[in-house]
Amino acid sequence: MPKTLYRIYVVELSKRVYSENAKFRTANPQYNGVLECLYVGMTSKTPKERFQQHKTGYRNKKGYKISSNIVEKYGLYLRPSLYNHIDPFLTRSEALTAEKEITLELRRARYAVWSN
């Protein structure tokens, strides 16, 4: 059985998320309104499949919602130019660490970013 690989993906969000969501605004005090609002995630699926799960409010077999409310409401499309250069990870913990690092890198570049 092939080993599961974990990928990082980035979704562009509507800029309305900044004005309508207080938690998003609080998480991004550096944002100046020029660049895009983004969501950074990690998945064992393809980024396209995972984006579809977010947009449809997907629930797993146990009934738990595993989609982000922010992406469900404000997600516009995937931004492959911001993640295609990142190789897949062999472990979930490596991917989670990378997700946090990429979120911080994008914030330092003045994007407004959400991840969870």
Side-chain angles (χ1 to χ4, degrees), residues 38-50:
L38 304 171
Y39 173 88
V40 176
M42 175 275 304
T43 184
S44 60
K45 303 188 176 315
T46 67
K48 187 177 178 180
E49 287 175 305
R50 188 67 182 111

Side-chain angles (χ1 to χ4, degrees), residues 92-111:
R92 189 173 192 278
S93 64
E94 286 176 335
L96 286 169
T97 299
E99 178 185 324
K100 289 176 188 157
E101 289 170 1
I102 291 158
T103 297
L104 291 175
E105 282 176 31
L106 291 168
R107 280 186 179 145
R108 279 193 291 269
R110 311 294 264 176
Y111 288 96

Side-chain angles (χ1 to χ4, degrees), residues 13-53:
L13 304 172
S14 165
K15 285 190 176 184
R16 286 180 324 151
V17 68
Y18 192 78
S19 59
E20 294 177 7
N21 188 298
K23 284 184 180 178
F24 188 90
R25 212 171 26 257
T26 302
N28 292 283
Q30 83 296 345
Y31 185 60
N32 61 12
V34 176
L35 295 175
E36 291 82 11
C37 297
L38 304 171
Y39 173 88
V40 176
M42 175 275 304
T43 184
S44 60
K45 303 188 176 315
T46 67
K48 187 177 178 180
E49 287 175 305
R50 188 67 182 111
F51 180 64
Q52 283 305 314
Q53 287 181 333

Side-chain angles (χ1 to χ4, degrees), residues 80-92:
S81 64
L82 295 174
Y83 65 82
N84 272 346
H85 64 283
I86 303 166
D87 291 329
F89 298 90
L90 295 175
T91 68
R92 189 173 192 278

